[in-house]
Amino acid sequence: MGSNEITRKDIRMRSCWILYVFLIPATILTFIFSYIPMFTNIMAFQDYHINNGWLGLGSKFVGFRNFYFLKERWFWELAGRTVFYSFTILVTSFPLPLILALLLNELKNQTFKKFVQTVSYIPRFVSWVTVAGMFYIFLSVDPSGVVNNIKQAVFGGERISYMQHEIYFLPILVISNIWKELGWGTIIYLAAITNISPELYEAAQVDGANRWHRAIYITLPGLIPTFCILLIFSLGGLVNTNFDQVFNLQNQVIRESTDTINIWVFYKGIRAQLFGLSSAVALFNGLVTFVLVMTGNYITKKLNNTAII
Amino acid sequence: MDINTTNAKDNLAVNIYSENPAAVSKKKSPSRIKGSTGERIFDILNVSFMIILSFITIYPFWYVLVVSLSNGNDLANGPVWFWPRNFTLNNYIYVLQYKLLRSAFVVTIARCLAGPVISVGVCMLAAYPLSKRWLPKRKWFLFFYMLPMFIGGTVISNYVVMAKLKLLNNFLVYIIPGAFGFFNMVIMRTFIEQIPIELEESAMLDGANYWVIFTKIILPQSKPIMAAFAFFSVVHNWLDFTTTLLYVTKQSLYTLQYVLYLVVNASQASNMIDITNIGESMRRLKENQRAALPTPEVVKMTVMVVVTFPLLFVYPFFQKYFVVGMNLGAIKG
């Protein structure tokens, strides 16, 4: 037996250098596209010019001078709006996939259930550019604007150019987010439902539990761990709005008053090339995200001994 | 109430309601009839809700299609709802003349072909060694790959690195930087761990090395998971808009989503499509029908159909893979 184990080990170690060769592409890619940018973050502490030395990191260090924005009013307005937007979007759309999954689970006709599922996944296969285009046409003031057509037919009154007023921007973000993400979000819950032990349902049925009881006392609690883990994943998103979503639904008329941090970073950093300031803002944002994710992870660890890492 | 069994093959959960005769007979027993009125009302409401939900999901697509098939000038006469009032295909003939759209098609298809191959290849190559729990220094590698999930570069530092690597305005920027994904690799690794080890061991006794095992055993056995990730990679490559926005300014490298973005945000038709450049067929069309050029609104919707719909026809065929990845991810945790 013992010698058998040794030969086995010998055999598997014989060409094991090849296994390390397999790791080379992933290692190089991770190093170049994750570790080098991580290291390049020190540009936030420099008077950065892209042509100063390797990666521009030969630029002069200026300490925390780029972080002067922390004392500026405009930054806190920007940050406040970002948190307000992302918090509103999170609260309004986060529980919905769970509810939809429970309702889908109660459908009796399997063909119909399959159909609804297939349909509800469609928006996942559409870009935010397309969603923005749809909102553009639906909210248009022209006769092709469906929402204004309905509004006039029901309430009468003026046609409103919804996309041009900042007060409608957050509702548009919320609605577009629900429309796009709701169906796809159910997948993970439906998968979790199939993992609930059937014995629980059998036992409950023996005890005379009806459908409602089974849904509330078995299925729902079975989904809570998944719900918590997803919630913690999205905690980090509290200081980050979805770039594609906000960027595409904005327009020049309302841009200044609806910018969120990552949009601002894009315009100031990539477009206006203010590298020092914008990387400082982005780094600060990243730090807050990191702290939020770690806090969330700590909380779950305490609550149900299942941590992400 | 039935549990979907199609993907539950590997799970312990089995559909108890449809398979278990006792459960079925229970439904018919008198004690169950009591709550049945309430249940029936719930069922009706539930089904109605699902129908409304499906309608809200599908209608925007239908409406965009209707507008793209309408005569733009006629649209100004009043609302259309479910059917084009003045059916025409001219918008499509017009839009397909658009040179930028054609080159964007080529670029997007190229990245949809190259992206999945590179990405799945790199991830599988890394997943196989990391599935060997005895491999020395395995934990080091895992930590190395995982750390960037939590701390990484910002948009700005990424941009600077791309610029210095000469990846700006380079087709490779679409393929290389995102090729390795930690989560994808972990899910693939979980899948590989489920392949019976005996297959490998007997091959090893026959003198096969790890390269042979990888290509002759692991890859063929991993087809389902590779298909799933290749599909999601195609979806990602088709829908990606930000990469072009951040790193590409050269027109010949624009992707479909970026061209759509330009078209949707252009305020005038002349900004959208260079009318002086329209091709022969369009000129003939104009002469024959004395048709005015399509309005900006209609052009926008037509480009949207051309860019969006191809993927929608592909995805239902891959639906069975959606849950596979999710379940494996859950097993890992």
Side-chain angles (χ1 to χ4, degrees):
Chain A
M1 190 65 194
S3 68
N4 187 21
E5 274 303 305
I6 289 163
T7 52
R8 232 184 180 192
K9 201 180 169 206
D10 283 347
I11 288 171
R12 76 185 185 194
M13 295 304 270
R14 201 194 294 145
S15 65
C16 100
W17 60 273
I18 296 178
L19 293 177
Y20 291 103
V21 175
F22 285 178
L23 289 170
I24 289 175
T27 308
I28 292 177
L29 285 176
T30 310
F31 181 75
I32 293 180
F33 295 108
S34 298
Y35 282 85
I36 293 183
M38 201 191 288
F39 178 68
T40 314
N41 278 338
I42 59 172
M43 69 195 278
F45 304 97
Q46 292 180 328
D47 178 23
Y48 186 83
H49 292 285
I50 195 163
N51 289 324
N52 281 347
W54 187 69
L55 284 171
L57 293 180
S59 306
K60 206 175 121 232
F61 277 91
V62 293
F64 284 89
R65 210 176 69 192
N66 288 327
F67 289 82
Y68 74 89
F69 64 84
L70 288 171
K71 285 192 238 149
E72 303 276 331
R73 200 185 144 78
W74 59 261
F75 173 75
W76 293 107
E77 271 174 22
L78 188 68
R81 191 187 302 127
T82 307
V83 173
F84 177 56
Y85 281 3
S86 46
F87 182 75
T88 312
I89 292 171
L90 181 76
V91 169
T92 49
S93 49
F94 196 77
L96 296 180
L98 175 66
I99 296 167
L100 181 62
L102 285 175
L103 292 177
L104 275 170
N105 195 41
E106 295 297 328
L107 284 178
K108 282 176 180 158
N109 185 325
Q110 288 305 296
T111 324
F112 181 65
K113 182 183 165 191
K114 196 100 207 157
F115 168 78
V116 176
Q117 277 180 275
T118 308
V119 167
S120 72
Y121 300 156
I122 294 176
R124 168 63 172 66
F125 298 93
V126 157
S127 69
W128 276 109
V129 188
T130 302
V131 177
M134 284 172 173
F135 272 76
Y136 160 83
I137 188 99
F138 270 72
L139 300 177
S140 154
V141 268
D142 296 332
S144 50
V146 173
V147 172
N148 271 316
N149 291 344
I150 295 172
K151 179 184 167 286
Q152 277 201 317
V154 180
F155 306 106
E158 291 282 299
R159 294 177 80 85
I160 300 170
S161 178
Y162 295 98
M163 302 285 269
Q164 314 282 330
H165 295 296
E166 58 178 271
I167 46 160
Y168 295 113
F169 191 64
L170 184 55
I172 288 174
L173 289 186
V174 168
I175 293 168
S176 60
N177 194 64
I178 292 173
W179 184 82
K180 189 158 172 5
E181 308 293 345
L182 173 60
W184 189 253
T186 61
I187 287 192
I188 193 152
Y189 291 117
L190 290 170
I193 288 175
T194 60
N195 284 328
I196 296 173
S197 166
E199 278 124 45
L200 288 175
Y201 291 100
E202 278 166 15
Q205 224 159 19
V206 170
D207 292 345
N210 61 24
R211 258 168 80 188
W212 170 250
H213 290 141
R214 290 198 300 262
I216 292 300
Y217 297 113
I218 301 175
T219 317
L220 186 60
L223 299 181
I224 292 300
T226 315
F227 183 84
C228 287
I229 286 177
L230 292 178
L231 189 65
I232 279 141
F233 265 120
S234 43
L235 264 189
L238 272 183
V239 286
N240 300 288
T241 49
N242 183 335
F243 178 87
D244 277 18
Q245 180 189 21
V246 178
F247 185 83
N248 281 297
L249 288 166
Q250 275 183 332
N251 55 56
Q252 286 310 314
V253 182
I254 58 167
R255 193 177 84 66
E256 292 285 312
S257 51
T258 55
D259 262 1
T260 55
I261 289 178
N262 46 14
I263 306 282
W264 184 92
V265 167
F266 168 76
Y267 280 110
K268 285 290 183 269
I270 312 244
R271 283 287 150 88
Q273 309 258 311
L274 292 170
F275 288 128
L277 173 62
S278 60
S279 65
V281 172
L283 189 63
F284 177 75
N285 200 35
L287 280 177
V288 177
T289 311
F290 178 74
V291 170
L292 284 173
V293 170
M294 283 302 152
T295 314
N297 197 47
Y298 178 78
I299 295 169
T300 14
K301 215 182 239 167
K302 284 273 164 203
L303 285 181
N304 32 328
N305 296 323
T306 53
I308 311 167
I309 52 166
Chain B
M1 106 171 56
D2 286 338
I3 296 164
N4 189 352
T5 50
T6 47
N7 289 304
K9 205 166 53 178
D10 302 325
N11 291 323
L12 289 173
V14 182
N15 185 336
I16 56 157
Y17 297 110
S18 59
E19 305 327 345
N20 186 346
V24 175
S25 68
K26 195 129 208 167
K27 259 181 215 163
K28 289 171 190 161
S29 69
S31 66
R32 301 277 303 143
I33 292 173
K34 230 188 333 181
S36 67
T37 324
E39 274 191 27
R40 213 170 296 153
I41 292 171
F42 168 78
D43 280 333
I44 292 168
L45 287 178
N46 197 10
V47 169
S48 323
F49 172 74
M50 293 300 168
I51 291 171
I52 294 170
L53 188 75
S54 305
F55 177 77
I56 292 173
T57 309
I58 293 175
Y59 183 65
F61 294 97
W62 181 250
Y63 187 70
V64 167
L65 194 65
V66 166
V67 172
S68 76
L69 291 168
S70 298
N71 180 322
N73 296 312
D74 176 65
L75 274 181
N77 296 336
V80 288
W81 297 100
F82 294 101
W83 211 249
R85 189 168 41 218
N86 207 329
F87 181 86
T88 173
L89 283 172
N90 288 354
N91 306 326
Y92 285 89
I93 299 173
Y94 180 73
V95 159
L96 293 177
Q97 299 294 317
Y98 188 21
K99 287 221 174 69
L100 204 50
L101 192 65
R102 291 198 208 168
S103 72
F105 248 108
V106 176
V107 172
T108 307
I109 287 173
R111 63 179 286 199
C112 284
L113 293 175
V117 174
I118 306 274
S119 165
V120 172
V122 170
C123 292
M124 280 299 289
L125 274 176
Y128 177 53
L130 295 176
S131 72
K132 304 263 168 256
R133 296 196 178 263
W134 50 265
L135 190 74
K137 301 282 180 285
R138 172 178 164 275
K139 283 248 156 89
W140 289 24
F141 280 100
L142 272 176
F143 181 77
F144 179 80
Y145 297 137
M146 194 185 70
L147 188 67
M149 304 256 79
F150 296 93
I151 40 173
T154 63
V155 189
I156 307 298
S157 60
N158 274 318
Y159 177 83
V160 169
V161 171
M162 298 291 183
K164 286 295 173 183
L165 290 171
K166 303 261 179 284
L167 283 171
L168 299 189
N169 288 324
N170 184 337
F171 178 73
L172 291 178
V173 79
Y174 291 132
I175 296 169
I176 305 295
F180 179 71
F182 177 71
F183 272 122
N184 298 358
M185 186 276 289
V186 166
I187 293 171
M188 286 177 180
R189 190 194 66 174
T190 314
F191 190 92
I192 292 174
E193 280 169 357
Q194 293 169 343
I195 298 172
I197 189 75
E198 289 77 17
L199 286 175
E200 275 186 62
E201 280 178 349
S202 60
M204 294 229 91
L205 288 173
D206 293 342
N209 64 25
Y210 283 110
W211 172 250
V212 176
I213 291 175
F214 181 69
T215 49
K216 294 277 155 62
I217 296 173
I218 302 299
L219 287 186
Q221 292 282 325
S222 307
K223 266 183 202 153
I225 199 80
M226 285 161 67
F229 279 109
F231 168 71
F232 280 112
S233 177
V234 169
V235 171
H236 167 79
N237 277 292
W238 190 275
L239 297 182
D240 178 38
F241 153 79
T242 326
T243 309
T244 320
L245 180 75
L246 291 177
Y247 306 125
V248 177
T249 47
K250 207 160 100 187
Q251 288 207 342
S252 60
L253 285 176
Y254 282 177
T255 55
L256 282 176
Q257 301 297 337
Y258 194 71
V259 170
L260 176 64
Y261 161 76
L262 293 178
V263 168
V264 168
N265 285 283
S267 48
Q268 283 161 5
S270 55
N271 297 351
M272 277 188 276
I273 296 175
D274 192 358
I275 297 167
T276 52
N277 251 344
I278 57 169
E280 187 57 33
S281 60
M282 192 64 216
R283 216 168 299 135
R284 232 181 297 130
L285 182 91
K286 225 182 140 185
E287 282 162 12
N288 290 348
Q289 308 206 342
R290 279 169 277 130
L293 287 170
T295 58
E297 198 165 57
V298 170
V299 171
K300 287 176 188 185
M301 293 307 120
T302 312
V303 175
M304 214 152 108
V305 171
V306 172
V307 170
T308 306
F309 277 51
L311 198 58
L312 301 187
F313 290 110
V314 182
Y315 108 81
F317 298 103
F318 287 86
Q319 206 175 328
K320 63 177 172 189
Y321 293 122
F322 295 174
V323 185
V324 176
M326 294 280 179
N327 276 352
L328 284 167
I331 289 166
K332 174 208 109 196

